[in-house]
Amino acid sequence: MKILVNDNEMILKESINVNELIKTLELKVEKIAVEINKMIIPRSEYDIYCMKDNDKVEIINAVGGG
Amino acid sequence: MNVTNAPLVVDGKEYHSRLLVGTGKYINLDQTRDAIEASGAEIVTVAIRRTNIGQNPDEPNLLDVIKPSEYTILPNTAGCYSADDAVRTLRLARELLDGHSLVKLEVLGDPNTLYPNVTETIKAAETLVDEGFSVMAYTSDDPIVAKELEQIGCVAVMPLASLIGSGMGIINPWNLKIIIDNANVPIIIDAGVGTASDASMAMELGCSGVLTNTAIAKANDPVLMALAMKEAVRAGYMAYLAGRMEKKEYQASASSPSAGNIASHSN
């Protein structure tokens, strides 16, 4: 299956949940927030939500700004 | 309590610094941390951006040096040109910051001037207030828009002094004074502050606080400028409380007594 993560195409052999995606991308869970198809996925649901084909995933973090 | 230490109250929370600072444009995170520590600011703005996929997992994150446990993090919507994008960004920020609801709303209208789009700002403010956010709204120096943002329920209104990052200082003090005199929420100058005297002037006008980023980050010595801003905001606030003397445009008034002056007896 194919998903888009911050506009980068990612091919998955099988569906994985949000926690597994975060682990694969080597990100720190407490420093990011995740939106899939414009719906925010609360941290409490990272184990529950499983990727579907063509999901559009946005992962954001805080950066310097005024 | 000493009147000069009266706290800034935003959304029911007391802050002892009336200087708010941004975290953009520093050369690295060490400089960011040092300048922000020196500024004494308690409210610190951050931007929300896509995580760089494939980055070094050990690369330090802004929130490692500006810790949410030590500062009130104020996520902004910089770079958003519509109410929808701003609302979406702040919903993500609330999730990132574990339900934290104090946010800085800024909706821009033009990429060259970064001038705020006040109609989209008002639209976004209405949605955000409905959703339980505590909104500090960046806006133009239009007194009617400022009042409208207050009436929507924004917890602070933040008019520009001049364009974002311009360092041009306070272009229209009269408009700011109208906004301040009619406000029931803190008015915090945001954008355009270039140096310490601009911050003092804002406070002397009666602003409740000053938010600045570029003036500190782009100074030759950001840490020293952060210290200068801290003192300037405090000095300006005290001068405001003290009440300045009346201006006498065409009438000088000697500070020294005229009686007993030997010059008057020498003719």
Side-chain angles (χ1 to χ4, degrees):
Chain A
M1 92 171 51
K2 185 186 79 184
I3 63 170
L4 275 180
V5 182
N6 291 358
D7 272 349
N8 298 298
E9 203 175 280
M10 210 173 143
I11 306 292
L12 302 175
K13 283 181 192 157
E14 54 185 358
S15 179
I16 57 175
N17 65 33
V18 179
N19 260 334
E20 289 163 336
L21 177 68
I22 291 167
K23 203 176 280 181
T24 305
L25 296 171
E26 297 187 297
L27 300 173
K28 294 193 179 90
V29 71
E30 69 280 7
K31 298 282 163 38
I32 58 165
V34 178
E35 185 195 74
I36 299 179
N37 305 329
K38 295 202 172 175
M39 295 288 293
I40 290 173
I41 311 295
R43 288 205 177 99
S44 57
E45 292 175 21
Y46 283 3
D47 274 332
I48 300 167
Y49 187 94
C50 291
M51 301 298 145
K52 297 188 301 294
D53 198 26
N54 292 321
D55 269 354
K56 279 190 176 176
V57 183
E58 290 284 348
I59 304 178
I60 59 90
N61 60 181
V63 300
Chain B
M1 183 180 57
N2 183 337
V3 69
T4 60
N5 290 332
L8 166 67
V9 181
V10 179
D11 194 27
K13 191 174 170 193
E14 293 186 356
Y15 299 92
H16 297 285
S17 171
R18 291 175 179 270
L19 174 62
L20 296 74
V21 295
T23 52
K25 299 181 179 171
Y26 288 98
I27 55 171
N28 56 38
L29 288 179
D30 284 342
Q31 193 188 56
T32 310
R33 183 197 51 232
D34 292 348
I36 283 157
E37 270 178 22
S39 76
E42 294 161 274
I43 301 178
V44 178
T45 64
V46 303
I48 301 299
R49 290 290 180 271
R50 279 178 164 170
T51 300
N52 191 7
I53 302 298
Q55 71 182 12
N56 174 1
D58 297 323
E59 200 174 300
N61 179 284
L62 178 64
L63 297 182
D64 292 326
V65 296
I66 307 298
K67 296 189 170 81
S69 55
E70 293 170 14
Y71 294 95
T72 295
I73 305 293
L74 189 66
N76 72 23
T77 59
C80 289
Y81 285 81
S82 70
D84 286 349
D85 281 346
V87 169
R88 182 183 174 200
T89 300
L90 292 176
R91 286 176 183 150
L92 276 163
R94 180 156 67 176
E95 179 61 25
L96 171 70
L97 297 168
D98 297 318
H100 168 90
S101 62
L102 187 68
V103 295
K104 175 183 162 179
L105 171 65
E106 91 182 71
V107 187
L108 304 177
D110 175 70
N112 293 319
T113 60
L114 302 179
Y115 209 79
N117 179 330
V118 295
T119 52
E120 289 294 301
T121 302
I122 286 169
K123 215 160 93 182
E126 285 169 341
T127 306
L128 291 165
V129 169
D130 275 353
E131 292 187 11
F133 284 92
S134 300
V135 179
M136 300 174 75
Y138 170 65
T139 184
S140 69
D141 58 9
D142 182 326
I144 306 303
V145 174
K147 195 68 192 171
E148 200 161 330
L149 288 165
E150 176 189 318
Q151 284 165 346
I152 287 168
C154 291
V155 297
V157 174
M158 306 202 290
L160 51 73
S162 48
L163 300 183
I164 293 174
S166 70
M168 290 292 287
I170 297 174
I171 297 291
N172 193 340
W174 291 275
N175 269 32
L176 293 176
K177 191 81 182 114
I178 295 169
I179 292 173
I180 292 161
D181 288 348
N182 287 299
N184 297 307
V185 293
I187 301 299
I188 295 170
I189 276 291
D190 185 1
V193 168
T195 188
S197 53
D198 296 334
S200 287
M201 186 178 168
M203 296 307 292
E204 287 171 16
L205 281 171
C207 284
S208 296
V210 171
L211 198 169
T212 185
N213 187 160
T214 311
I216 296 175
K218 288 298 172 193
N220 288 337
D221 184 338
V223 174
L224 191 54
M225 185 57 88
L227 281 169
M229 287 292 180
K230 178 185 180 179
E231 301 298 334
V233 166
R234 197 165 149 67
Y237 183 55
M238 285 193 283
Y240 168 72
L241 293 175
R244 64 156 295 140
M245 64 164 283
E246 185 191 345
K247 281 186 183 174
K248 297 170 186 170
E249 289 190 19
Y250 295 105
Q251 188 189 354
S253 166
S255 301
S256 306
S258 53
N261 183 354
I262 56 166
S264 61
H265 301 289
S266 63
N267 289 331

